[in-house]
Amino acid sequence: MSSFQTSPGTRDILPPHAGRWRALIQVFADGVESAGYQNIIPPLFEDLGVFQRLGDATDVVTKEMYDFMDKGGRHIALRPEHTASVCRAFAQHRPTPPWKVWYSGPNFRYERPQAGRFRQFDQVGIEVLGVDDSQLDVEVISLGWDFYQAIGLSNVSLVINSLGDAGDRGRYIEALGAYFTTHSETLSEQALATLERNPLRVLDSKRPQDASAIAGAPAIGAFLSTDAAAHFAAVCAGLDALNIPYVVNERLVRGLDYYQRTTFEFISGSLDSAQNAVGGGGRYDGLVEDLGGPATPGIGFALGVDRTLLACDAEECFSYGFPALDVFVIDTTGGSYALSITHQLRHSGFSADRAFEGRSMKSQMKSADRSGAQVAVIIGDTEAEESTCTVRNLSTSEQTTIPSTELQSHLVSVLGPRQPRRHTP
RNA sequence: GUGGGCGUAGCUCAGUUGGUUAGAGCGCUAGGUUGUGGUCCUAGAGGCCGGGGGUUCGAAUCCCCUCGUUCACCCCA
């Protein structure tokens, strides 16, 4: 056992898992960039106040924040999510709306780790600021939906709801609070505590004891203003038009207080654990203003990378293998040929690796096999003397010896042409 | 923060009512093959039995504490 290990709720993403991880983000980026979203990279930490706008009644703010005083006396917090940072960035830089951005990166919440829940956890997501159109809600939801389809997840369901505008929401919370107070004798102790802080969240309780009270609770639908109801109906109609299946769940409340109007979650049916929400989002029309910017509507979603990959494991999709190398260079004469040949091949655009420490032919062949390389280029004493090299096809075991000067052209004929790698803007 | 399960080799796990030198498979290294991988055979390396304390002639095994991990509540992606 080594002296140090990762802190609770954090872990190393090792190969080959990290490769799969990167591939997942690439699929996401390709999808949203083709819809006009550009990448944003906000800082990992911000002034604590930025995140307090998530809501004083939320656990994320009250007890899960990684916060500290820096050497300049500022009260800093590691970001628990991206949305507040994106809104702060909008308020700070005032880009021209509509502002469509996507992000990926870690967030931090001090929670007890559990299946699909970590203290450092990654999300990918998008946010759009400055557009109030219900068709944008549909676009945002469809991009999330399309991403799950793109990676091959078939057992994901979309649940949507509307929390109404700020006034509706307030009236609903009031009614809900009154209702639960009259049923307080049937509620669990924990639910009563939740009721004190935010009656909405009581709807989220998974305790069997609370089920009957929740079942009889008033629904949000009756509290929606004409505008909010029309907006929600338009969103549903848009999803219908795109043939995206969804379920309206009037009990869907989300944990962050800034949500208004459209809210949605993506639930994986393939995850047994309690953490089966693989993504979620909604409108947060008041957040930019809260952060000192102009009144600006906003909508977005965040998808949990960890949970999404867990769902992929469960559905046995989005498999990943490290791309096979083109060439493995074997040199039993001391290594100087391997040094120069791999260097030249890499410059020509071939992927190439080699062994070190002067290992035996057998050992180097094993390494070549493990590397997944398609061909081995072998330099032994004979080849060194004759200025030749032996090229072995590792899947057919056929091999041929050619003059060293013909190696590049021979590999091109066997593996196809390669372009030197360089950055092209 | 509350409650349950589990900590033995790099990985997955055996280890009997406490008994003397802690095992297997996979993986790794080397050899079988004086230049050739994936199969096979042989050998080797690799362990403070999570850590600390206690009970005992004797502890991987029993007790306590602690740390880690895992599952659930809670919360949320």
Side-chain angles (χ1 to χ4, degrees), chain A residues 36-49:
Chain A
Y37 291 72
Q38 295 193 64
N39 194 207
I40 180 173
I41 308 177
L44 218 59
F45 58 83
E46 303 236 13
D47 192 286
L48 176 72

Side-chain angles (χ1 to χ4, degrees), chain A residues 84-267:
Chain A
S85 288
V86 170
C87 289
R88 192 269 312 140
F90 182 87
Q92 179 175 339
H93 304 288
R94 304 293 173 93
T96 307
W99 200 43
K100 298 168 74 170
V101 295
W102 73 270
Y103 56 78
S104 78
N107 304 298
F108 304 85
R109 293 178 197 174
Y110 194 87
E111 303 177 271
R112 281 288 280 269
Q114 204 176 310
R117 192 171 80 185
F118 304 92
R119 287 180 177 174
Q120 176 177 332
F121 63 101
D122 270 62
Q123 291 181 329
V124 295
I126 61 175
E127 312 287 350
V128 186
L129 293 170
V131 178
D132 193 31
D133 193 329
S134 61
Q135 289 191 6
L136 174 64
D137 301 34
V138 177
E139 171 178 301
V140 166
I141 293 170
S142 73
L143 286 170
W145 179 261
D146 289 347
F147 170 67
Y148 291 119
Q149 305 305 303
I151 59 174
L153 280 179
S154 53
N155 196 5
V156 171
S157 54
L158 168 63
V159 182
I160 66 172
N161 191 21
S162 174
L163 295 178
D165 57 35
D168 305 338
R169 191 187 152 115
R171 287 199 306 278
Y172 179 56
I173 289 176
E174 211 169 292
L176 210 50
Y179 166 82
F180 280 125
T181 302
T182 62
H183 292 76
S184 58
E185 72 282 357
T186 72
L187 290 174
S188 65
E189 201 177 311
Q190 292 86 346
L192 286 173
T194 307
L195 179 58
E196 289 288 309
R197 286 180 292 134
N198 186 346
L200 267 186
R201 198 91 17 81
V202 176
L203 295 176
D204 246 352
S205 169
K206 289 173 189 165
R207 257 169 254 283
Q209 187 189 338
D210 302 324
S212 66
I214 291 171
I220 181 75
F223 291 81
L224 293 186
S225 67
T226 313
D227 277 359
H231 186 96
F232 188 55
V235 171
C236 293
L239 292 172
D240 289 335
L242 299 184
N243 287 317
I244 294 175
Y246 62 91
V247 176
V248 176
N249 178 0
E250 291 195 294
R251 301 277 184 264
L252 174 69
V253 296
R254 301 194 33 79
L256 301 169
D257 284 351
Y258 54 58
Y259 285 115
Q260 298 182 9
R261 299 191 161 197
T262 312
T263 59
F264 54 95
E265 268 183 18
F266 296 102
I267 308 291

Side-chain angles (χ1 to χ4, degrees), chain A residues 231-371:
Chain A
H231 186 96
F232 188 55
V235 171
C236 293
L239 292 172
D240 289 335
L242 299 184
N243 287 317
I244 294 175
Y246 62 91
V247 176
V248 176
N249 178 0
E250 291 195 294
R251 301 277 184 264
L252 174 69
V253 296
R254 301 194 33 79
L256 301 169
D257 284 351
Y258 54 58
Y259 285 115
Q260 298 182 9
R261 299 191 161 197
T262 312
T263 59
F264 54 95
E265 268 183 18
F266 296 102
I267 308 291
S268 169
S270 302
L271 293 177
D272 298 331
S273 66
Q275 268 64 40
N276 61 357
V278 291
R283 278 206 167 268
Y284 43 86
D285 292 343
L287 188 54
V288 172
E289 199 172 2
D290 256 6
L291 287 162
T296 307
I299 181 171
F301 66 69
L303 313 180
V305 174
D306 309 272
R307 289 184 193 177
T308 298
L309 285 172
L310 285 174
C312 288
D313 289 341
E315 294 194 24
E316 295 181 344
C317 66
F318 201 68
S319 61
Y320 174 82
F322 185 75
L325 291 174
D326 294 321
V327 181
F328 197 93
V329 179
I330 291 171
D331 176 357
T332 59
T333 72
S336 56
Y337 289 100
L339 184 68
S340 56
I341 291 173
T342 50
H343 184 73
Q344 286 159 14
L345 290 177
R346 288 166 183 167
H347 270 254
S348 307
F350 292 99
S351 57
D353 200 2
R354 52 162 297 193
F356 293 94
E357 300 181 318
R359 291 184 182 276
S360 68
M361 169 73 85
K362 178 174 178 164
S363 169
Q364 293 193 50
M365 281 297 292
K366 274 188 145 176
S367 298
D369 188 48
R370 271 196 290 251
S371 78

Side-chain angles (χ1 to χ4, degrees), chain A residues 385-420:
Chain A
E385 281 168 28
E386 298 172 350
S387 294
T388 58
C389 52
T390 296
V391 178
R392 180 181 178 92
N393 183 318
L394 287 171
S395 45
T396 66
S397 296
E398 291 171 287
Q399 66 181 46
T400 169
T401 300
I402 57 170
S404 299
T405 51
E406 293 172 16
L407 177 58
Q408 298 262 354
S409 56
H410 182 81
L411 289 176
V412 166
S413 72
V414 173
L415 299 171
R418 293 290 188 276
Q419 294 295 318

